[in-house]
Amino acid sequence: MDSLTLLQQWWQEPGKTSLFCPIFFCFIILFSFLFLFKTTRNYYKLNLPPSPPKLPIIGNLHQISALPYKSFTSLSNIYGPLMLLRLGYVPTLVVSSVEMVKEITNNHDVIFADRPSLTGVGIVLNGCLDMAFGPYCDYSREVKKLCVLQLLSHKRVQQFHFIREEEVEKIVERIQRVNGAPINLSDMFTSLAHNILSRSAFGSLYEDQNGKYKSFGELARKTMNLLSAFCFKDWFPYLGWIDHLTGFIRNLKMIAEELNEFLDRVIKEREALMNDNEKVEDKNYLIDILLYLRKEEQELHLSKDNLKAVLLDMFVAGVDTTAATMEFMMAELIKNPRIMKKAQEEIRRVVGNSKSNITVSDINQMEYLKCVMKETLRFHASGAIARQTSANVKLKGYDIPAKTRVIINTWAIHMDPTLWDRPEEFLPERFLDSTDDSDGEQKNPLFSFGTGTRVCPGMSYAYAEVEYAIANLLYWFDWELPDGARVEDLDMSEVITIVIRKKTPLWVVAHSYFP
């Protein structure tokens, strides 16, 4: 949603119109110009990257649409792959080429690994350090290593396969029971992603005892929506007081309190189940491992709030991103019957007619399915968390000041016609032979999970979950749109919070396949 629309919606809320007066705007303009003078006077001495013309106060915000990555791409086509915008009062470097990303990763990775300090993150995480949204430091590195080792490693991913099997089986049975009636796959994928992660992290599914939320996933999703909402302080630091008037800060504090109550209950229940004589290797779930390490006072100090921050990271970063990938993957298969037929033929050939379930070994033989997965990640980038420079740095001869927000425009790179043949088409075949014979590396790497120090640690976990779920849906069912809907009219429009998702739910009809 663009900034002007956000502002319009805010003014239209009940009780806000009384503030809409000349005196109010005089204060805004006065503070804005004072801050603008203070923050821009030193910039004139630097050799900054190219930048579009800016308006007073709002900078380049008026040029950013509801889908920012497309606006960034259009502007980068004019001003180059390194482009400096001013979004409100925030200097923002937009990186839109694979060469620039490699330059950052290879030569300046640590300087570009920091995160901006955002109001919502600070309140929700209670000022605690975490591994995803907080600053890059020794603690964030150690927590990330811990989560990779204990939950997201290849070994752990395979150990949790029984959870994927059980939850996907439930989804298959639900679809079989509706007997050809239209189903909302978008909701099913969100529920599936939450249930798998909840059981992997907590050991079971937890429902809110006061009945306000059906699950922790629903609470985490509300948190993510708040974190992606417009915050005046994050874009106009001298106008942070407006966030109190709008109720934004109050809502953040309320959701933080609800999260604390929810996680306190989970931690209390898991602590009661812990056996002091058990070793950490015997712990099956992430929360048990974290509680064990906290109790034993390992080198990595984990306060109770730190532990909660890690758990929240897992849900905010792992549920909607995975659900969105499954959603887009099935939508593209339905929109492209040729590709769906080819994928189904491969899956049914590999699995055969004598098995009652699909195994990990089967998935490893599904080369074309893996290509469909990669093409989905290329064609529908899931979004990225902004970075921030921790020091002044030179990049391709340009001066990049410290505290500059950095956005790597994954969508622009994945749609670059110099890298990809017919990038505007959904073509999984492009990945059938996508390695460089000289060194075995992929010719045109995907950046859907980030890159460098801040690469998402959940890549193997996401691949295992998505491929297994989609393989089952394609094996057990034939798919079509509801009566009257045409494939060419399937709405593929997108909406973005922290994650890019389909704007409209994916409604489909499934017909059982009997091998």
Side-chain angles (χ1 to χ4, degrees):
M1 187 175 294
D2 63 81
S3 57
L4 295 179
T5 303
L6 286 166
L7 288 171
Q8 289 169 357
Q9 286 186 355
W10 179 74
W11 285 120
Q12 290 169 3
E13 290 182 25
K16 302 295 192 305
T17 54
S18 61
L19 297 173
F20 199 100
C21 64
I23 296 177
F24 181 74
F25 272 98
C26 285
F27 277 111
I28 291 180
I29 293 171
L30 177 61
F31 279 116
S32 298
F33 273 114
L34 287 174
F35 189 79
L36 180 65
F37 176 74
K38 179 180 177 181
T39 56
T40 60
R41 58 184 176 181
N42 293 329
Y43 268 61
Y44 293 110
K45 302 175 183 178
L46 302 177
N47 180 30
L48 300 172
S51 177
K54 297 175 283 291
L55 290 179
I57 303 175
I58 66 171
N60 300 107
L61 274 177
H62 65 292
Q63 295 173 295
I64 309 305
S65 69
L67 299 176
Y69 52 92
K70 293 190 176 181
S71 301
F72 295 149
T73 302
S74 298
L75 291 171
S76 294
N77 290 337
I78 301 172
Y79 296 97
L82 278 182
M83 176 181 63
L84 187 66
L85 303 177
R86 184 170 288 278
L87 303 181
Y89 295 120
V90 179
T92 304
L93 181 71
V94 179
V95 182
S96 299
S97 76
V98 67
E99 291 79 15
M100 294 297 102
V101 173
K102 288 180 178 179
E103 172 73 14
I104 291 172
T105 303
N106 295 336
N107 300 320
H108 311 288
D109 197 19
V110 174
I111 292 178
F112 280 83
D114 217 349
R115 297 288 192 207
S117 179
L118 300 177
T119 302
V121 171
I123 293 175
V124 169
L125 297 183
N126 198 25
C128 290
L129 295 173
D130 71 323
M131 65 174 175
F133 297 98
Y136 181 70
C137 58
D138 291 341
Y139 176 84
S140 65
R141 289 194 298 271
E142 292 305 313
V143 170
K144 184 176 180 179
K145 288 179 184 178
L146 175 67
C147 288
V148 168
L149 178 65
Q150 303 296 353
L151 180 64
L152 304 171
S153 66
H154 178 73
K155 177 183 176 181
R156 279 293 186 179
V157 168
Q158 298 312 311
Q159 287 179 346
F160 286 128
H161 182 66
F162 77 97
I163 295 176
R164 293 191 293 274
E165 281 187 332
E166 292 173 1
E167 293 301 325
V168 170
E169 183 179 1
K170 293 176 186 177
I171 291 293
V172 170
E173 291 175 353
R174 282 177 59 189
I175 296 173
Q176 288 173 335
R177 286 197 298 268
V178 301
N179 194 28
I183 56 176
N184 186 337
L185 265 188
S186 299
D187 285 349
M188 280 194 175
F189 286 145
T190 299
S191 175
L192 175 65
H194 163 264
N195 290 351
I196 291 175
L197 185 53
S198 183
R199 291 182 60 190
S200 300
F202 297 153
S204 63
L205 302 178
Y206 280 85
E207 296 182 352
D208 185 14
Q209 288 182 328
N210 61 25
K212 188 172 182 180
Y213 299 100
K214 294 179 181 178
S215 66
F216 182 70
E218 186 176 340
L219 182 55
R221 197 169 309 116
K222 182 180 177 182
T223 303
M224 187 172 68
N225 290 336
L226 268 178
L227 292 179
S228 61
F230 187 86
C231 175
F232 276 91
K233 185 177 181 180
D234 290 341
W235 303 102
F236 305 90
Y238 280 8
L239 302 180
W241 50 274
I242 298 180
D243 295 315
H244 292 272
L245 297 180
T246 63
F248 180 67
I249 300 299
R250 181 184 67 253
N251 291 336
L252 282 170
K253 291 180 177 179
M254 287 174 59
I255 200 71
E257 184 178 347
E258 291 165 356
L259 284 167
N260 278 325
E261 291 177 357
F262 205 114
L263 290 173
D264 280 340
R265 178 169 66 90
V266 176
I267 290 171
K268 183 178 179 180
E269 290 181 11
R270 298 307 299 182
E271 283 179 327
L273 293 173
M274 289 185 67
N275 186 331
D276 294 341
N277 296 321
E278 286 183 330
K279 297 180 180 179
V280 67
E281 289 83 3
D282 298 325
K283 307 299 180 185
N284 292 322
Y285 307 106
L286 177 64
I287 190 171
D288 300 322
I289 296 165
L290 294 175
L291 288 171
Y292 176 87
L293 294 177
R294 178 169 171 256
K295 182 179 179 180
E296 295 297 311
E297 297 184 352
Q298 300 290 325
E299 182 178 346
L300 177 64
H301 175 70
L302 278 172
S303 69
K304 192 174 183 180
D305 284 339
N306 289 139
L307 191 152
K308 293 177 187 177
V310 173
L311 294 172
L312 186 59
D313 277 350
M314 301 298 294
F315 276 84
V316 171
V319 174
D320 274 20
T321 51
T322 305
T325 300
M326 290 189 282
E327 183 181 38
F328 278 124
M329 193 167 173
M330 278 300 295
E332 289 292 350
L333 287 169
I334 291 171
K335 187 178 179 181
N336 298 274
R338 175 194 67 82
I339 297 173
M340 177 180 282
K341 181 180 179 181
K342 187 172 180 179
Q344 283 183 311
E345 288 176 348
E346 176 189 68
I347 294 167
R348 291 169 180 175
R349 172 179 55 79
V350 169
V351 177
N353 299 330
S354 59
K355 295 182 181 179
S356 59
N357 67 303
I358 299 174
T359 66
V360 174
S361 176
D362 292 332
I363 298 293
N364 291 336
Q365 298 178 58
M366 299 175 187
E367 184 181 8
Y368 191 68
L369 177 68
K370 295 181 181 296
C371 291
V372 176
M373 171 74 172
K374 291 179 180 178
E375 180 67 349
T376 301
L377 293 173
R378 182 196 72 84
F379 206 67
H380 298 283
S382 61
I385 304 173
R387 304 186 183 198
Q388 182 172 279
T389 54
S390 57
N392 297 332
V393 64
K394 280 274 190 180
L395 186 61
K396 291 299 182 180
Y398 293 113
D399 295 312
I400 312 298
K403 303 295 183 182
T404 297
R405 201 165 294 182
V406 180
I407 296 174
I408 295 178
N409 191 0
T410 303
W411 190 82
I413 297 172
H414 288 176
M415 300 299 288
D416 187 346
T418 66
L419 298 176
W420 310 93
D421 180 38
R422 293 181 288 169
E424 72 286 351
E425 297 182 36
F426 190 83
L427 297 172
E429 287 80 4
R430 71 174 82 248
F431 289 101
L432 286 173
D433 183 21
S434 61
T435 56
D436 189 320
D437 294 334
S438 62
D439 56 16
E441 293 185 357
Q442 190 171 302
K443 294 177 182 177
N444 299 322
L446 296 170
F447 294 100
S448 301
F449 290 90
T451 184
T453 301
R454 281 295 192 174
V455 68
C456 175
M459 182 164 58
S460 60
Y461 192 97
Y463 267 91
E465 181 176 334
V466 173
E467 289 174 354
Y468 185 76
I470 300 300
N472 273 272
L473 295 186
L474 294 183
Y475 179 79
W476 293 108
F477 304 100
D478 292 317
W479 299 87
E480 65 179 10
L481 293 176
D483 290 344
R486 302 186 306 171
V487 169
E488 53 269 27
D489 295 332
L490 180 60
D491 183 8
M492 299 295 289
S493 57
E494 300 169 339
V495 63
I496 181 169
T497 53
I498 293 176
V499 176
I500 301 171
R501 297 204 64 164
K502 274 184 90 280
K503 189 173 183 178
T504 58
L506 179 61
W507 285 89
V508 292
V509 173
H511 300 284
S512 295
Y513 167 76
F514 299 98

